[in-house]
Amino acid sequence: MTPEIVILAMIAAFLGLRLYSVLGRRAEHEEEPIQGRFEGRQGQKPGAPRVSAPPRPDQRSDDRARAEQPRQRAIPLAPPSVERGLAEISQADRRFDAAAFLDGARSAYRMILEAFWKGDKAELRQLCDDDVYAGFAAAIDARIEAGETLDNRLIRIEETGFTAAGVENGYARITLRFRADIAAVTRNAEGQVVAGSLDDAIETIDVWTFGRAVNSPDPDWVLEETDEG
C-alpha cells in the first residue's frame, strides 16, 4: 500500500468519525422533549380538542344571548329624555341602531343640501315629506325665476347631536342638531357672484327632525321639519 493511499484512508476515517459524532449528538438532542414548546394554552396538548368553558350555573339564557350580541357603537352624549326616547324607538323597532342612524343622518344632511342647491327636486322628493319638499320646491322656483343659481359647498360637518327622540302612535321622530361649515355663493344669470364667497366658510347650525313609521317595511327616514339653531 502506497503512502498516499494510507494518508487518504486516515483522512476518510477521521472525517467519518467527525460526521458520526455530529449526527449522533443531533439525533440524541432531537429525542429530548423541549418543555413548553408544543403545549397548548393552559397545558393543552397538541391535537387535543378545544372545549369551550361551560356557562356558569347562575347565568340565564337571556343573559348569554345579550352577551353574544355585538355591542352598538358609541353615540354622542344626550340628555336623559333623549336617551329614553331612543330606547323607546329601539323597543318598537328592533332593527333600529342609534349610531347607524346618526351616520345615515349625516349623509342625508349632505344629500338634501346639495340637492337643494342644485335644484334637484326629484332627489328632494325622495328624502323629504310633503311639507318640507313644498318649501324647498318653492325656494327653487323663486331662485329660477330670479335667474340665480347657488354655488354652495358643504366643507365639513363639525358636530351632530341628538336633541329629541320618541315614539307616538307608532311613529318615531328624532331631532338632530347639525353644526357645519358651508361656503355659500349666489350667482346671477350671467354667472357673476352677487352674494357670498367660496373662500370663507360660514358656520351654520341646522336643527332637523326625521320621522318614520316603526312598523313600515321601508327602513328609510324622511326629513319632516327644518329649523335654524
Side-chain angles (χ1 to χ4, degrees), residues 40-207:
R41 188 169 298 178
Q42 297 180 350
Q44 185 178 20
K45 296 186 181 300
R50 296 186 177 182
V51 181
S52 301
R56 297 193 305 271
D58 60 342
Q59 188 178 30
R60 297 178 302 175
S61 59
D62 55 344
D63 292 335
R64 292 197 301 271
R66 282 195 295 269
E68 292 173 358
Q69 291 179 352
R71 295 182 179 179
Q72 291 190 350
R73 290 169 292 167
I75 60 174
L77 294 177
S81 60
V82 176
E83 292 183 351
R84 287 194 297 269
L86 293 174
E88 292 175 359
I89 297 174
S90 296
Q91 292 175 358
D93 182 1
R94 295 297 182 181
R95 297 172 299 175
F96 175 75
D97 180 275
F101 171 85
L102 203 60
D103 290 342
R106 292 191 186 98
S107 298
Y109 181 72
R110 178 181 294 274
M111 292 170 62
I112 291 171
L113 286 180
E114 292 179 349
F116 173 66
W117 295 337
K118 293 185 297 184
D120 189 345
K121 292 183 180 180
E123 181 78 3
L124 292 171
R125 177 69 280 180
Q126 298 179 6
L127 300 171
C128 307
D129 73 354
D130 293 341
D131 292 339
V132 173
Y133 170 76
F136 280 139
I140 292 173
D141 292 340
R143 196 167 67 217
I144 294 174
E145 185 177 354
E148 295 178 343
T149 58
L150 297 180
D151 187 12
N152 296 1
R153 299 176 188 176
L154 177 59
I155 305 302
R156 67 183 65 86
I157 300 175
E158 295 284 359
E159 183 182 1
T160 309
F162 294 94
T163 63
V167 180
E168 184 177 358
N169 297 325
Y171 194 85
R173 288 184 175 86
I174 297 178
T175 302
L176 298 175
R177 180 180 183 271
F178 298 92
R179 183 168 63 87
D181 294 333
I182 296 176
V185 168
T186 303
R187 300 180 185 274
N188 59 19
E190 289 74 31
Q192 299 173 337
V193 176
V194 296
S197 171
L198 289 178
D199 296 330
D200 298 322
I202 301 174
E203 183 180 87
T204 303
I205 296 178
D206 290 307
V207 180

